[in-house]
């Protein structure tokens, strides 16, 4: 019997279809119960029934297959005992989570690769990044507290934006982005970051990753071959630039930020995080800001400014955008990923006039335009003042977390040094001489359910052991637990 079983029992698993091939099992000489068990095992084994899939009730499945209900119930019970299925009172029967042989081998390999693990993935991202998603606690840098996303305010802005949207907004749009958002961004960036940009020169991108890719291709097509980047930073950025056809030249860092005095003759462009270098946290000094602008004016070079978390400062006056000094030579890039959430996939670049047509062409070829409804919502969110209120609220929350981190480390692990804390969403914890290597610390943290990132994964030398602590990442309810585990790992490893 090859039957489609449909559950119709109200309140249980109503409406679930299940294709069971009992005819093949009977040809093999199996009885009704054994055949049903074998058919279900086979469906789970070959992936037709994935983990968590709800099965029809025994009554409904028996009716649809023409079997006795006891036969189905006994088959379910046997498969539950074997671990193929799970059954809970009030929740019915479902397929249990099972590892394939490949998954088991992969997990075994990951377990065997302990403290020495410093490899990177195919896109240059540290291999430990998935731990930040899987583990119960995470202090991985580069993310805000996504649980604090302002759902109610965003939803209200979305409803207002949708109601007011002109019909033409739902068609194909200007590759630069919706004019409502570009106008809102131009006013906001001028007020908050000192950016001088006409809305016509703003291009909305689907995240900072897309912005970097667009700019790399534009620079390559203009004849650029080399771009200088800070020696420490997200590996993905260098990978994206190289994928766009540019060779990357590392810029050393010191207490004044990137050392830009060596740009002459070595690069056609430079990518900087001048307001708050990632990960060291130092701003580019006034003298070097002037020097890099002078270099761009003298050589025709292009400066790419990544202002990834410019809204969050705590113990100093905000550092304005470098773009305000030379809009004709600096491409300013900002994003909603830190102020709101990475899942929005909204970023923007303020482009010098001579690059605009080329950037718009690349954007059109990439995806024509970014999602319109989210653009309209962000425009309304900014224009209504909700964005400012959210940023101020999060600034206070992140500052409190930073203070708790610094105080806890000073009390429990006084041998470490914390730096880069005047702004941003992370801190650098420098380890004392004789401490265990950062790779060992991150493995010990992983065993405690905590995701940590070492400075070595961002390009630092092995003789500079340090951790980069993303104190903004955990939700409020998990921050204390993450901080406790961090202190325990450091106390154990730093003597």
């Amino acid at each position: 019997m090859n039957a489609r079983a449909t559950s119709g029992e109200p309140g249980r698993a109503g409406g679930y279809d299940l294709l069971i091939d009992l005819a093949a099992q009977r040809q093999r000489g199996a009885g009704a119960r054994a055949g049903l068990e074998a058919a279900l095992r086979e469906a789970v084994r070959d992936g037709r029934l994935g983990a968590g899939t709800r099965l029809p009730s025994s009554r409904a499945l028996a009716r649809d297959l023409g079997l006795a209900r006891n036969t189905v119930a006994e088959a379910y019970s046997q498969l539950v005992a074997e671990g193929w299925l799970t059954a809970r009172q009030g929740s019915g029967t479902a397929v249990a989570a099972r590892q394939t042989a490949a998954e088991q081998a992969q997990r075994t390999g990951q377990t065997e690769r302990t403290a020495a693990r410093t490899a990177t993935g195919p896109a240059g991202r540290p291999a430990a990044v998935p731990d930040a998603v899987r583990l119960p606690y995470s202090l991985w840098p580069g993310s805000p507290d996504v649980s604090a996303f302002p759902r109610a305010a965003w939803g209200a802005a979305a409803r207002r934006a949708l109601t007011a949207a002109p019909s033409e907004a739902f068609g194909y749009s200007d590759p630069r982005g919706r004019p409502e958002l570009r106008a809102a961004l131009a006013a906001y960036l001028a007020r908050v970051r000192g950016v001088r940009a006409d809305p016509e020169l703003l291009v909305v991108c689907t995240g900072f990753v897309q912005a970097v890719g667009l700019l790399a291709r534009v620079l390559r097509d203009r004849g650029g071959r080399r771009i200088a980047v800070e020696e420490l930073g997200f590996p993905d950025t260098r990978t994206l630039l190289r994928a766009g056809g540019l060779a990357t030249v590392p810029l050393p860092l010191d207490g004044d930020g990137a050392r830009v005095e060596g740009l002459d003759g070595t690069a056609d462009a430079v990518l900087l995080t001048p307001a708050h270098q990632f990960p060291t946290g130092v701003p580019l000094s006034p003298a070097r800001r002037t020097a890099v602008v002078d270099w761009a004016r003298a050589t025709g070079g292009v400066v790419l400014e990544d202002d990834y978390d410019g809204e969050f400062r705590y113990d100093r006056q905000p550092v304005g955008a470098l773009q305000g000094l030379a809009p004709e030579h600096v491409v300013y890039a900002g994003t909603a990923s830190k102020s709101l959430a990475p899942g929005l996939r909204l970023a923007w670049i303020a482009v010098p006039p001579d690059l605009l047509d080329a950037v718009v062409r690349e954007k059109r070829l990439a995806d024509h335009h970014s999602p319109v409804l989210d653009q309209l919502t962000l425009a309304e969110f900014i224009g209504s003042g909700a964005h400012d209120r959210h940023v101020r609220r999060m600034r206070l929350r992140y500052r409190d977390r930073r203070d708790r981190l610094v105080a806890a480390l000073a009390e429990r692990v006084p041998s470490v040094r914390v730096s880069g804390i005047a702004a941003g969403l992370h801190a650098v914890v420098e380890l004392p001489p004789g401490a265990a290597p950062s790779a060992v610390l991150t493995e010990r943290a992983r065993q405690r359910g905590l995701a940590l990132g070492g400075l070595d994964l961002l390009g630092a030398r092995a003789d500079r052991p340090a951790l980069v602590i993303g104190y903004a990442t955990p939700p409020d309810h998990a921050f204390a637990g993450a901080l406790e585990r961090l202190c325990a790992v450091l106390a154990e490893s730093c003597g």
Side-chain angles (χ1 to χ4, degrees), residues 150-164 373 376-384 386:
R151 300 178 189 226
W154 184 263
R159 289 190 294 273
R160 294 193 300 270
L162 189 60
T163 300
L373 294 182
L376 294 173
T377 301
L378 181 57
E380 172 63 27
F381 197 73
I382 293 172
S384 69

Side-chain angles (χ1 to χ4, degrees), residues 285-295 322 325:
S285 70
R288 290 184 182 174
R289 288 163 71 92
T290 300
V292 76
V293 166
D294 289 345
W295 166 81
L322 181 65
L325 298 178

Side-chain angles (χ1 to χ4, degrees), residues 169-381:
F170 301 99
Y172 291 106
S173 264
D174 187 332
R176 293 174 297 175
R178 287 297 303 175
E180 298 92 337
L181 179 55
R182 289 187 282 118
L185 284 171
Y188 173 80
L189 295 172
R191 171 170 57 86
V192 175
R193 302 298 300 128
V195 172
R196 292 190 287 156
D198 188 297
E200 299 298 306
L201 297 176
L202 283 170
V203 179
V204 179
C205 299
T206 309
F208 178 71
V209 167
Q210 184 185 68
V212 171
L214 299 179
L215 293 167
R217 293 191 291 275
V218 167
L219 293 174
R220 178 201 60 200
D221 291 346
R222 282 166 49 98
R225 294 294 176 266
R226 294 170 296 177
I227 182 169
V229 295
E230 295 155 340
E231 64 179 353
L232 300 182
F234 279 118
D236 277 1
T237 301
R238 302 183 191 93
T239 303
L240 286 165
L241 292 168
R242 289 193 288 265
L246 300 176
T248 57
V249 180
L251 283 179
L253 296 164
D254 60 22
D256 289 326
R259 295 174 55 183
V260 297
E261 66 272 12
L263 286 174
D264 288 345
T266 65
D268 310 294
V270 59
L271 191 152
L272 300 170
T273 52
H276 182 235
Q277 201 281 327
F278 182 87
T280 65
V282 298
L284 192 65
S285 70
R288 290 184 182 174
R289 288 163 71 92
T290 300
V292 76
V293 166
D294 289 345
W295 166 81
R297 286 172 173 156
T299 65
V302 177
V303 180
L304 309 184
E305 177 179 13
D306 178 8
D307 194 31
Y308 70 99
D309 65 357
E311 294 95 343
F312 298 108
R313 75 279 178 185
Y314 312 115
D315 300 330
R316 68 182 186 209
Q317 290 298 310
V319 178
L322 181 65
Q323 189 265 4
L325 298 178
E328 68 282 8
H329 293 287
V330 179
V331 177
Y332 172 90
T335 174
S337 293
K338 304 300 182 287
S339 62
L340 286 168
L344 291 179
R345 308 312 305 140
L346 284 175
W348 42 86
I349 48 178
V351 183
D354 63 315
L355 294 180
L356 181 63
D357 288 346
V359 170
V360 172
R361 182 185 66 248
E362 291 296 333
K363 171 64 176 175
R364 181 183 292 111
L365 293 173
D367 62 2
H368 200 95
H369 59 78
S370 298
V372 166
L373 294 182
D374 287 340
Q375 293 185 57
L376 294 173
T377 301
L378 181 57
E380 172 63 27
F381 197 73

Side-chain angles (χ1 to χ4, degrees), residues 49 68 72 77 119 123-124 145 337 446:
L49 293 179
V72 176
S77 295
D145 177 1
S337 293
R446 188 191 65 78

Side-chain angles (χ1 to χ4, degrees), residues 38-107:
L40 287 170
R41 288 192 197 94
E42 185 176 316
V44 174
R45 189 182 293 114
D46 67 17
R48 286 196 299 112
L49 293 179
T53 300
R54 292 278 300 277
L55 300 185
S57 69
S58 58
R59 183 191 303 276
L61 186 57
R63 181 181 62 242
D64 291 339
L65 294 178
L67 300 176
R69 183 184 179 188
N70 283 347
T71 300
V72 176
E74 290 168 0
Y76 277 1
S77 295
Q78 180 62 31
L79 294 177
V80 168
E82 294 176 6
W84 294 91
L85 304 179
T86 61
R88 293 182 181 177
Q89 185 69 31
S91 298
T93 304
V95 177
R98 294 179 61 84
Q99 286 186 324
T100 65
E103 289 170 336
Q104 290 172 343
Q106 181 183 25
R107 179 144 183 99

